[in-house]
Amino acid sequence: MRAVNIVGFKNSGKTSLAVALIRELAEQGTPAAAMKFTHQDGLDKAGTDTAKLLDVAPAVGAIGEKESAMFWKGGRHFDTLLPLLGAEFVVVEGGKPLTVLPRIVIAGNAEEARALGAEPGGLALVVYGQAKVEGIPTVNDIAALAKLVAPRAFLLPGLDCGACGRPDCRALAGEIVAGSAAATDCAALGGVLTIEVNGVPLALNPFVSRILASGIKGMLGELKGYAPGEAVIRLQG
């Protein structure tokens, strides 16, 4: 999965840019889903049937003729919701604390841009707007923005396992944005064992990956007809 994060201060136009970018990405052959962070207390309007049900139930599913939705009480972790989107590319609106994906910074001046991560070693791929920050490209054209971010989007697992040789995922993400590293440098993706749920790989630090792989190989070794080789295991349920 690849992702890019649109960050900006309140009323900076994040939603408008996300809508325009997703539309342009689709036209350029990269369909994208959206994820939104919000400080709004209620995601559904007060007094609706969904809100009434959520008052008494821990979760509510809504199914309509043209759209469906899920509502949970309380916040959910970013990573747990991504597989539900069913997309290989995600445009994330808001979520300034996120440090595992590159950013599009919306800013009116250089000071705002730097406060949002547009600086050397930061997470900003590009500044959208009028702000000029040395070393960070400024773009005002949606088509150019989509062409710039589509091939450079990435999403790290956020395990902070240190197996890549960096202290945390934030450090690796900064190097990827700078062009001195690649997402494939993440040791938690594509190790000796790969597990997918709904087509989305689960991140496994190398230690956990080796433990699980050894356990599975040990169990397989007790089965009649087993011979060492490349194994493909599919689980249903």
Side-chain angles (χ1 to χ4, degrees):
M1 180 177 288
R2 294 178 293 153
V4 66
N5 190 193
I6 298 177
V7 298
F9 294 112
K10 188 175 181 179
N11 298 323
S12 58
K14 295 187 295 295
T15 299
S16 296
L17 179 57
V19 170
L21 178 60
I22 291 172
R23 182 180 292 118
E24 182 61 34
L25 284 169
E27 291 182 0
Q28 294 185 16
T30 305
M35 175 78 75
K36 178 179 176 65
F37 283 76
T38 179
H39 296 292
Q40 184 179 338
D41 289 336
L43 296 178
D44 198 26
K45 294 181 179 179
T48 63
D49 291 343
T50 303
K52 293 175 183 176
L53 290 168
L54 200 56
D55 281 340
V56 296
V60 176
I63 302 174
E65 293 183 359
K66 296 183 179 180
E67 59 186 2
S68 301
M70 281 295 299
F71 295 88
W72 291 276
K73 285 183 177 177
R76 293 274 167 156
H77 194 274
F78 174 67
D79 292 341
T80 64
L81 297 180
L82 287 175
L84 302 178
L85 297 178
E88 295 182 0
F89 197 108
V90 179
V91 174
V92 181
E93 178 192 337
K96 290 191 287 290
L98 294 174
T99 58
V100 292
L101 69 167
R103 295 182 171 186
I104 299 169
V105 170
I106 303 179
N109 55 62
E111 183 178 359
E112 286 185 357
R114 284 191 288 268
L116 294 166
E119 57 186 357
L123 299 176
L125 283 177
V126 62
V127 174
Y128 188 83
Q130 303 301 320
K132 303 291 184 181
V133 179
E134 185 177 357
I136 309 294
T138 297
V139 174
N140 290 292
D141 178 73
I142 290 294
L145 180 66
K147 289 180 180 179
L148 188 153
V149 302
R152 299 188 62 189
F154 64 87
L155 181 64
L156 299 180
L159 296 181
D160 294 335
C161 64
C164 65
R166 284 80 171 178
D168 51 34
C169 290
R170 165 64 181 79
L172 177 57
E175 292 183 27
I176 296 172
V177 169
S180 59
T184 52
D185 291 329
C186 175
L189 298 174
V192 296
L193 177 68
T194 300
I195 299 177
E196 293 185 2
V197 177
N198 294 329
V200 178
L202 295 184
L204 300 171
N205 70 52
F207 174 75
V208 173
S209 179
R210 289 194 299 270
I211 290 294
L212 291 175
S214 296
I216 291 172
K217 287 180 180 178
M219 290 185 288
L220 290 175
E222 298 299 319
L223 298 178
K224 184 178 180 179
Y226 170 79
E230 182 178 354
V232 177
I233 301 175
R234 294 184 175 88
L235 300 178
Q236 294 181 340

